[in-house]
Amino acid sequence: MFVCALTMMALMTACKDQAQYGEYESITLSHISEEGDLTKIAYDFKIHPLKSSDPIDGIGGIKCWDDVWLARTSDSRKILRFDNYELTSVLYRLGRGPGEYYFIEDFSYDKANNCIYIENDSTLVTYDATTLEFKGKQPVNINIQNILNVGDKMLYFGWFLDAYNRNSNGEVFRNPPESMVLVDRDERDLRKGVELYTETSNERSIFGYPELFFVNPKNYSTCLPGVITRIVTFDETGMTDVYRFKLGAGPISADIEELLEREFDDTDIMALINYYSDLSIALGNEPRINQVYNIMVDGKTISFRARYNNDGSLGSYSQYLYFVRNEKGTKAYKHLRIPGLTMDVDPTGANGNHQVAIIENLGDMAISESEPMSDLAEQIIAELKKQNDDNPVVLEFRFK
């Protein structure tokens, strides 16, 4: 009878979760593999040497617009421009003087106006995309976290200034919402755009934020993090959920629901600190998603990589989980590998419906002697050997 009672309680909790949050998939250890063999789970491979007469700085992330690629260096100090996989210019104006930017959190390329935008708080620091000549600083009425040019529109995520500037007043704290806004390319009054998503709950402090750095230009998609993580597609009419999931099999407790639904306008600083403490305690050590990158909706296949925390229920810890969801179900991999190569494959960009990974040139250290070399590894090694200055190659692929 006791077991039956527990079973009924679990079923009732699951039903309540579905009623509150809709359908979602619980990801457990049964979904996760230690390694994914890329030659088996992906296809449509393309290998491109990155060409340059000089050594190429380490690349931390790539954005692609047709044949123009912009890459942020690993130290977030420079923007590298590639045309047809060849380095054609380097934007390096770090500083606080005229014509300079003081950090690179995000950037974008406007083909119509031939501009490169670097985001600094609520300003677009603008350069000619060909000559790299400084063109000016364009203010917008949002404190920017992410920007991206998509067709004849521009996508922003951040705090509207009229709310953000009310942030604090002495001991009173105001917690403004963040919005995802789609607006005409040249419009700088973002209130005239379409607010696709507004984050008014307090999940933002725990679960990260929507990541616009990697958007598939053939099917706009991103991730809305939360107690239930949502992969969505979007257009001017709004957003559509295509996949909803949660790490771990545990139910969402009533305490978590109440805390996440609580909203703040004016509140005492200590009350807010206590709130975050209560929320952390309620969430406990159950595994959860922290941030999601490389979101790709390619027909019926959905893929992305995610940072996460692990309470031990998911086995050994890795930096990322790589998710692939298709008609056969959902699989997650702690490492992506190519038989014959020593290094993991870590996608850091998206080009159309292809994931993009930089394969570093490690010389003989790149070759694994503990396993047979796959055809794909042989092709990559052959291209790496042709490179000067130990420059890398790019691997593009699609998950099956």
Side-chain angles (χ1 to χ4, degrees):
M1 291 178 64
F2 179 68
V3 172
C4 288
L6 287 178
T7 303
M8 287 299 294
M9 288 174 63
L11 288 172
M12 290 172 66
T13 302
C15 290
K16 183 177 181 181
D17 280 359
Q18 283 191 0
Q20 178 77 10
Y21 294 101
E23 295 285 343
Y24 66 88
E25 183 174 27
S26 293
I27 301 299
T28 63
L29 187 58
S30 64
H31 296 84
I32 299 172
S33 298
E34 192 69 24
E35 291 185 354
D37 181 344
L38 212 60
T39 64
K40 295 180 179 178
I41 64 176
Y43 72 112
D44 200 9
F45 296 103
K46 301 177 182 180
I47 304 168
H48 302 286
L50 290 181
K51 294 297 185 181
S52 173
S53 58
D54 298 307
I56 296 173
D57 289 326
I59 293 174
I62 294 176
K63 292 186 179 185
C64 307
W65 292 267
D66 299 323
D67 293 332
V68 175
W69 290 20
L70 297 183
R72 177 175 54 195
T73 55
S74 300
D75 59 9
S76 294
R77 298 166 68 88
K78 303 175 185 178
I79 297 293
L80 312 179
R81 173 170 174 162
F82 295 89
D83 289 81
N84 292 309
Y85 311 104
E86 182 174 359
L87 181 65
T88 53
S89 57
V90 178
L91 177 57
Y92 185 32
R93 302 282 182 83
L94 190 68
R96 292 185 174 272
E100 297 176 333
Y101 52 84
Y102 52 86
F103 67 97
I104 302 175
E105 181 166 340
D106 208 353
F107 59 91
S108 191
Y109 168 67
D110 181 347
K111 182 177 181 180
N113 292 322
N114 194 38
C115 289
I116 293 174
Y117 300 121
I118 293 180
E119 169 259 303
N120 276 188
D121 294 330
S122 59
T123 302
L124 301 175
V125 188
T126 308
Y127 300 90
D128 185 281
T130 304
T131 66
L132 304 186
E133 177 187 359
F134 174 66
K135 298 185 68 172
K137 296 185 177 182
Q138 304 177 39
V140 295
N141 56 342
I142 202 170
N143 195 305
I144 307 166
Q145 184 161 293
N146 274 151
I147 54 173
L148 189 73
N149 284 86
V150 285
D152 63 350
K153 304 290 181 181
M154 195 158 175
L155 191 64
Y156 294 83
F157 180 69
W159 298 270
F160 277 107
L161 292 182
D162 53 5
Y164 186 78
N165 290 336
R166 296 175 61 248
N167 193 38
S168 61
N169 179 15
E171 295 183 354
V172 174
F173 182 84
R174 299 183 174 94
N175 194 11
E178 288 188 82
S179 299
M180 188 182 299
V181 183
L182 189 65
V183 66
D184 289 343
R185 182 183 59 244
D186 295 324
E187 180 59 65
R188 302 301 179 226
D189 179 1
L190 306 190
R191 288 290 185 185
K192 296 180 179 179
V194 177
E195 288 189 49
L196 298 174
Y197 169 75
T198 299
E199 177 58 85
T200 57
S201 76
N202 296 286
E203 298 180 35
R204 175 76 176 78
S205 63
I206 301 293
F207 297 102
Y209 55 91
E211 177 56 65
L212 307 184
F213 196 95
F214 313 109
V215 168
N216 179 356
K218 294 186 178 180
N219 186 354
Y220 299 151
S221 54
T222 188
C223 172
L224 307 181
V227 63
I228 303 300
T229 301
R230 300 163 53 198
I231 305 298
V232 300
T233 57
F234 64 87
D235 56 26
E236 292 182 55
T237 64
M239 292 185 163
T240 302
D241 286 14
V242 293
Y243 180 48
R244 298 160 58 92
F245 73 100
K246 172 183 175 295
L247 278 191
I252 302 167
S253 71
D255 288 344
I256 294 174
E257 289 181 20
E258 188 277 326
L259 287 165
L260 291 176
E261 289 172 1
R262 192 184 302 176
E263 296 182 10
F264 296 98
D265 187 7
D266 293 2
T267 188
D268 177 81
I269 294 291
M270 287 307 301
L272 195 66
I273 291 173
N274 291 334
Y275 164 80
Y276 288 137
S277 175
D278 291 343
L279 180 56
S280 295
I281 292 170
L283 288 167
N285 294 321
E286 188 179 31
R288 63 176 179 266
I289 296 294
N290 295 329
Q291 196 68 57
V292 177
Y293 310 88
N294 292 76
I295 303 103
M296 182 72 68
V297 179
D298 183 12
K300 295 183 179 180
T301 300
I302 301 167
S303 60
F304 51 91
R305 64 184 172 113
R307 288 187 182 272
Y308 70 110
N309 69 318
N310 185 4
D311 65 344
S313 64
L314 302 180
S316 63
Y317 179 75
S318 60
Q319 184 177 9
Y320 298 108
L321 286 177
Y322 299 90
F323 284 76
V324 181
R325 177 173 174 79
N326 52 34
E327 292 177 302
K328 295 180 180 179
T330 303
K331 290 291 294 182
Y333 306 93
K334 294 180 181 178
H335 304 275
L336 297 178
R337 298 212 52 247
I338 297 172
L341 300 185
T342 56
M343 75 282 281
D344 289 355
V345 178
D346 181 19
T348 56
N351 183 22
N353 57 0
H354 284 70
Q355 298 279 356
V356 174
I358 301 295
I359 307 296
E360 297 293 344
N361 199 338
L362 304 180
D364 291 341
M365 293 176 59
I367 301 173
S368 172
E369 297 180 355
S370 62
E371 60 188 344
M373 183 171 288
S374 61
D375 291 343
L376 180 59
E378 289 183 351
Q379 295 172 41
I380 292 171
I381 293 296
E383 293 299 333
L384 286 172
K385 288 181 176 179
K386 299 175 187 176
Q387 289 287 75
N388 62 296
D389 297 310
D390 295 328
N391 283 330
V393 302
V394 165
L395 176 67
E396 298 184 55
F397 61 91
R398 298 167 67 183
F399 284 107
K400 294 180 179 177

